[in-house]
Amino acid sequence: MKKINLIALFFLCLASCNIFAQKNKKMDIIAYYTGDADLIDKYEVNKLNQIIFSFCHLKDGKLTVDSPKDSITIKKLVSLKAKNPQLKIIVSLGGWGGCEPCSQAFSTAEGRLKFAKSVKALSDSYKVDGLDLDWEYPSIEGLPGHLYQPADKPNFTELIKILRSTLGKKYELSFAAGGFQKCLDESIDWKAVAPFVNLINIMSYDLVNGYSKVTGHHTPLYSTNPKEESTNRAVEFLLKAGVPAEKLVIGGAFYTRQWKNVENINNGLYQAGEHFQGVDFKNYATTYTEANGWKYFYDEKAQAPYWYNASTKTFATSDDLRSIKAKAEYVKAKKLGGIMFWELTLDSFHDGMVNEIYKVKTEK
């Protein structure tokens, strides 16, 4: 009898270990989405775990859907869940330039409660699965001219707490955070907020951006020198700050950043230049061609691609299929919560970046 019990216990432990292993293998694929109700049908939404509608905004201190068109889009996104039971639809507040009133609105307990109640009401009304806060950024400068103040940091913590207590466990709560060191150091009390959120979406892109006068990798997986921002640098910082690995989501960029007047030194990498509008991933294959004068390079240390055009002295940096695969493999190896990206309408309809992530997720 004892022997039988021991065997039963062994198999029970084995089953438990397998369940835990499966849990650890879970890797959410999260898409920010700015398109309309019709466009979403062109994408492989069955490969996604979350679609984050971007964006809702604050109006009189309440979370507000901006237009009838946005309302139709959110309802369409929610309808996708009928065929995709794993899919969650999240609404996002803010974005770059979209959170101008946030510092003031969230500066009082009354303001935070008013907002939290509006999130609950909107979530109930639209039957969405929760909120992603995209306040860029608490306590440090985001878009020039937007109010930011030291009190934003503790106010953000209190905002997260009141959101969780108002929404309960039923709804998802996440936030997008800058992957650059100043935001990591100064914006968020990581240890205080981590217990109340499901996920933290690290914007590990735009690490060199429109304000940068020197080229570089805008969304590298690893730093090539001690001062360079990178995805891994942000992840390691947050793990040391006590954020559980399964709550961390890294970011991928489905668009390039470009610079002109870049001298042909080091194939344009880490050189002076003037930033200008980039290109969507779906157009890489027709833009960054040898016929157009472009050469492709891949930085093995950074795990990041870049392009240089010697004839026009232009430089481009982004993720591509190779680097997004490396990021997805990194998520698996580190047992992180997943990978998100900006944003779905920049991808190819089929066999694009989402598909490359999905292949890594589902491979044995």
Side-chain angles (χ1 to χ4, degrees):
M1 187 71 180
K2 203 171 192 180
K3 190 176 180 183
I4 293 169
N5 284 344
L6 283 171
I7 292 168
L9 186 65
F10 170 76
F11 281 110
L12 183 65
C13 288
L14 192 65
S16 299
C17 288
N18 284 338
I19 290 165
F20 187 69
Q22 281 301 114
K23 195 174 182 183
N24 275 352
K25 279 183 181 176
K26 180 180 178 289
M27 179 174 81
D28 281 349
I29 304 175
I30 300 172
Y32 282 87
Y33 182 69
T34 66
D36 61 22
D38 296 328
L39 189 61
I40 193 65
D41 290 328
K42 296 182 183 293
Y43 294 95
E44 297 172 304
V45 294
N46 61 309
K47 295 178 178 177
L48 301 172
N49 298 96
Q50 277 190 26
I51 299 175
I52 303 180
F53 172 80
S54 310
F55 290 100
C56 296
H57 295 99
L58 277 180
K59 187 175 180 182
D60 299 325
K62 295 180 179 181
L63 185 67
T64 307
V65 176
D66 291 340
S67 67
K69 181 185 173 186
D70 285 354
S71 182
I72 291 166
T73 301
I74 295 169
K75 288 173 183 176
K76 174 60 183 284
L77 294 176
V78 170
S79 76
L80 299 174
K81 293 165 60 176
K83 288 184 180 177
N84 301 285
Q86 91 289 353
L87 184 65
K88 293 184 185 297
I89 305 302
I90 311 293
V91 291
S92 184
L93 167 71
W96 182 250
C99 216
E100 184 176 7
C102 288
S103 180
Q104 187 64 46
F106 302 144
S107 64
T108 66
E110 294 79 12
R112 294 188 290 269
L113 180 59
K114 181 181 183 181
F115 174 71
K117 285 181 175 177
S118 75
V119 174
K120 175 73 161 55
L122 190 147
S123 299
D124 288 344
S125 173
Y126 281 90
K127 295 183 172 58
V128 297
D129 297 291
L131 175 74
D132 181 64
L133 270 172
D134 193 356
W135 176 0
E136 301 181 26
Y137 306 93
S139 77
I140 65 170
E141 186 176 24
L143 187 72
H146 284 195
L147 177 65
Y148 64 97
Q149 48 194 336
D152 291 342
K153 185 173 181 176
N155 289 342
F156 185 84
T157 302
E158 294 307 312
L159 176 64
I160 292 291
K161 287 179 179 177
I162 194 66
L163 278 164
R164 176 51 74 202
S165 64
T166 304
L167 293 172
K169 291 181 181 179
K170 176 185 173 184
Y171 288 110
E172 297 279 318
L173 180 58
S174 62
F175 65 92
F180 56 97
Q181 199 61 48
K182 188 173 178 64
C183 183
L184 296 173
D185 287 336
E186 299 177 28
S187 268
I188 312 289
D189 185 341
W190 300 102
K191 205 164 187 177
V193 301
F196 298 98
V197 298
N198 298 89
L199 296 171
I200 295 169
N201 295 326
I202 309 166
M203 293 184 283
S204 46
Y205 41 74
D206 296 341
L207 299 179
V208 293
N209 53 47
Y211 298 102
S212 303
K213 305 295 185 186
V214 176
T215 68
H217 299 301
H218 98 77
T219 182
L221 182 51
Y222 296 102
S223 303
T224 61
N225 63 69
K227 291 184 178 179
E228 189 174 35
E229 312 274 15
S230 69
T231 305
N232 178 67
R233 179 170 160 172
V235 168
E236 291 297 331
F237 177 93
L238 292 171
L239 290 174
K240 283 176 187 170
V243 179
E246 65 270 17
K247 291 193 176 188
L248 290 179
V249 173
I250 63 171
F254 287 15
Y255 60 95
T256 57
R257 286 197 171 274
Q258 297 188 131
W259 283 259
K260 59 185 178 181
N261 299 324
V262 179
E263 292 302 322
N264 191 4
I265 303 165
N266 195 32
N267 302 310
L269 184 61
Y270 307 129
Q271 306 303 312
E274 300 168 46
H275 184 269
F276 71 106
Q277 183 66 42
V279 175
D280 302 343
F281 170 78
K282 61 191 175 188
N283 297 320
Y284 288 7
T286 54
T287 302
Y288 299 122
T289 65
E290 287 189 15
N292 289 340
W294 290 93
K295 283 190 74 174
Y296 174 85
F297 302 91
Y298 194 82
D299 187 328
E300 295 283 354
K301 189 171 182 182
Q303 286 295 304
Y306 59 104
W307 298 259
Y308 183 67
N309 191 322
S311 60
T312 59
K313 292 187 175 180
T314 47
F315 173 91
T317 164
S318 183
D319 274 317
D320 69 351
L321 293 178
R322 184 175 174 184
S323 69
I324 208 72
K325 180 182 179 184
K327 281 184 173 177
E329 288 170 343
Y330 176 91
V331 168
K332 263 191 164 179
K334 290 272 190 182
K335 295 182 169 60
L336 305 182
I339 185 165
M340 62 80 172
F341 52 87
W342 186 266
E343 54 98 9
L344 187 60
T345 70
L346 309 182
D347 198 12
S348 306
F349 295 139
H350 301 282
D351 300 323
M353 299 280 261
V354 167
N355 187 59
E356 200 67 20
I357 299 167
Y358 187 75
K359 283 194 293 187
V360 173
K361 177 179 177 171
T362 53
E363 69 188 6
K364 292 181 181 178

